Coordinates of all heavy atoms in Angstrom, one line a residue:
L5 N -6.6 -39.0 99.8 CA -6.3 -39.2 98.4 C -6.5 -40.7 98.0 O -6.8 -41.1 96.9 CB -4.9 -38.8 98.0 CG -4.6 -37.3 98.1 CD1 -3.2 -36.9 97.8 CD2 -5.6 -36.5 97.2
N6 N -6.2 -41.6 99.0 CA -6.3 -43.0 98.7 C -7.6 -43.6 99.0 O -7.8 -44.8 98.9 CB -5.2 -43.8 99.6 CG -4.9 -45.1 99.1 OD1 -4.8 -45.3 97.9 ND2 -4.8 -46.1 100.0
G7 N -8.6 -42.8 99.4 CA -10.0 -43.3 99.6 C -10.2 -43.9 101.0 O -11.2 -44.5 101.3
E8 N -9.2 -43.8 101.9 CA -9.3 -44.3 103.2 C -9.9 -43.4 104.2 O -10.2 -43.7 105.3 CB -7.9 -44.8 103.8 CG -7.3 -45.9 103.0 CD -6.1 -46.4 103.6 OE1 -6.1 -46.7 104.9 OE2 -5.1 -46.7 102.9
A9 N -10.1 -42.1 103.8 CA -10.8 -41.1 104.6 C -11.7 -40.3 103.7 O -11.5 -40.1 102.5 CB -9.8 -40.2 105.3
D10 N -12.8 -39.8 104.3 CA -13.7 -38.9 103.5 C -13.5 -37.4 103.8 O -13.9 -36.6 103.0 CB -15.2 -39.3 103.9 CG -15.5 -40.7 103.7 OD1 -15.3 -41.2 102.5 OD2 -15.9 -41.4 104.7
L11 N -13.0 -37.2 105.0 CA -12.9 -35.8 105.5 C -11.6 -35.7 106.4 O -11.4 -36.5 107.3 CB -14.1 -35.4 106.3 CG -14.2 -34.1 107.0 CD1 -14.3 -33.0 106.0 CD2 -15.5 -34.1 107.9
I12 N -10.8 -34.6 106.2 CA -9.7 -34.4 107.0 C -9.6 -32.9 107.3 O -10.2 -32.0 106.7 CB -8.3 -34.8 106.3 CG1 -8.1 -34.0 105.0 CG2 -8.4 -36.3 106.0 CD1 -6.8 -34.3 104.3
E13 N -8.8 -32.5 108.3 CA -8.7 -31.1 108.8 C -7.3 -30.7 108.9 O -6.3 -31.4 108.7 CB -9.4 -31.0 110.1 CG -8.7 -31.7 111.3 CD -9.3 -31.4 112.6 OE1 -10.2 -30.5 112.7 OE2 -8.9 -32.1 113.6
R14 N -7.1 -29.3 109.2 CA -5.8 -28.7 109.4 C -4.8 -28.9 108.3 O -3.7 -29.4 108.5 CB -5.2 -29.2 110.8 CG -6.1 -28.9 112.0 CD -5.8 -27.5 112.5 NE -6.6 -27.2 113.7 CZ -6.5 -26.1 114.4 NH1 -5.6 -25.1 114.0 NH2 -7.2 -25.9 115.5
L15 N -5.3 -28.5 107.1 CA -4.4 -28.7 105.9 C -3.4 -27.5 105.8 O -3.7 -26.4 106.3 CB -5.2 -28.8 104.7 CG -6.1 -30.0 104.5 CD1 -6.9 -29.9 103.3 CD2 -5.3 -31.2 104.6
E16 N -2.3 -27.8 105.3 CA -1.3 -26.7 105.0 C -1.2 -26.4 103.5 O -1.8 -27.1 102.7 CB 0.1 -27.2 105.5 CG 0.1 -27.5 107.0 CD 1.4 -28.0 107.5 OE1 2.4 -28.0 106.8 OE2 1.5 -28.3 108.7
A17 N -0.5 -25.4 103.2 CA -0.5 -24.8 101.8 C -0.1 -25.9 100.8 O -0.8 -26.1 99.7 CB 0.4 -23.6 101.7
E18 N 0.9 -26.7 101.1 CA 1.4 -27.7 100.1 C 0.3 -28.8 99.9 O 0.1 -29.3 98.8 CB 2.7 -28.4 100.6 CG 3.9 -27.4 100.7 CD 4.0 -26.8 102.1 OE1 3.0 -26.8 102.8 OE2 5.0 -26.2 102.4
Q19 N -0.3 -29.2 101.0 CA -1.4 -30.2 100.8 C -2.6 -29.7 100.1 O -3.2 -30.4 99.3 CB -1.7 -30.7 102.2 CG -0.6 -31.4 102.9 CD -0.6 -31.1 104.4 OE1 -1.5 -30.5 105.0 NE2 0.5 -31.6 105.1
V20 N -2.9 -28.4 100.3 CA -4.0 -27.8 99.6 C -3.7 -27.8 98.1 O -4.6 -28.1 97.3 CB -4.2 -26.3 100.1 CG1 -5.2 -25.6 99.1 CG2 -4.8 -26.3 101.5
E21 N -2.5 -27.4 97.7 CA -2.1 -27.4 96.3 C -2.2 -28.8 95.7 O -2.7 -29.0 94.6 CB -0.7 -26.9 96.2 CG -0.2 -26.8 94.7 CD 1.2 -26.2 94.7 OE1 1.8 -26.0 95.7 OE2 1.7 -26.0 93.5
T22 N -1.7 -29.8 96.5 CA -1.8 -31.2 95.9 C -3.3 -31.6 95.7 O -3.6 -32.2 94.7 CB -1.1 -32.1 96.9 OG1 0.2 -31.8 97.0 CG2 -1.3 -33.6 96.5
I23 N -4.1 -31.4 96.7 CA -5.5 -31.8 96.5 C -6.2 -31.0 95.4 O -7.0 -31.6 94.6 CB -6.3 -31.5 97.9 CG1 -5.8 -32.5 98.9 CG2 -7.8 -31.6 97.7 CD1 -6.3 -32.2 100.3
E24 N -5.9 -29.7 95.2 CA -6.5 -29.0 94.1 C -6.1 -29.5 92.8 O -6.9 -29.6 91.9 CB -6.1 -27.5 94.3 CG -6.8 -26.7 95.4 CD -6.3 -25.3 95.5 OE1 -5.1 -25.0 95.1 OE2 -7.0 -24.5 96.1
K25 N -4.8 -29.9 92.6 CA -4.3 -30.4 91.4 C -4.8 -31.8 91.1 O -4.8 -32.3 89.9 CB -2.8 -30.3 91.3 CG -2.3 -28.9 91.2 CD -0.8 -28.8 91.2 CE -0.3 -27.4 91.0 NZ 1.2 -27.3 91.0
T26 N -5.1 -32.6 92.1 CA -5.5 -34.0 92.0 C -6.9 -34.1 91.3 O -7.1 -34.9 90.4 CB -5.5 -34.7 93.3 OG1 -4.2 -34.7 93.8 CG2 -6.0 -36.1 93.2
G27 N -7.9 -33.3 91.8 CA -9.2 -33.4 91.3 C -10.0 -34.5 92.1 O -9.4 -35.5 92.6
G28 N -11.3 -34.4 92.1 CA -12.1 -35.3 92.8 C -12.3 -35.1 94.2 O -12.9 -35.9 95.0
F29 N -11.9 -33.9 94.7 CA -12.0 -33.5 96.1 C -12.5 -32.1 96.2 O -12.4 -31.3 95.3 CB -10.6 -33.7 96.8 CG -10.1 -35.1 96.7 CD1 -9.2 -35.4 95.7 CD2 -10.5 -36.1 97.6 CE1 -8.7 -36.7 95.6 CE2 -10.0 -37.3 97.5 CZ -9.1 -37.7 96.5
Q30 N -13.0 -31.7 97.4 CA -13.4 -30.4 97.7 C -12.5 -29.8 98.9 O -12.0 -30.6 99.7 CB -14.8 -30.4 98.2 CG -15.8 -31.1 97.4 CD -17.1 -31.3 98.1 OE1 -17.8 -30.4 98.5 NE2 -17.5 -32.6 98.2
L31 N -12.4 -28.5 98.9 CA -11.7 -27.8 100.0 C -12.7 -26.8 100.6 O -13.4 -26.1 99.9 CB -10.5 -27.1 99.5 CG -9.3 -28.0 99.1 CD1 -8.3 -27.2 98.3 CD2 -8.7 -28.7 100.3

């Protein structure tokens, strides 16, 4: 989310929800 990484793995439900609501990212 802070732009220090381009790709991450092993996400959990809460993190998926956060990324979906943030925008600017893909899952």
Side-chain angles (χ1 to χ4, degrees):
L5 296 177
N6 200 42
E8 295 188 45
D10 305 302
L11 175 66
I12 61 175
E13 66 172 352
R14 296 277 183 176
L15 297 176
E16 300 178 6
E18 296 90 346
Q19 296 145 5
V20 167
E21 183 179 2
T22 295
I23 291 172
E24 287 177 334
K25 290 181 177 180
T26 299
F29 302 95
Q30 310 166 58
L31 289 167

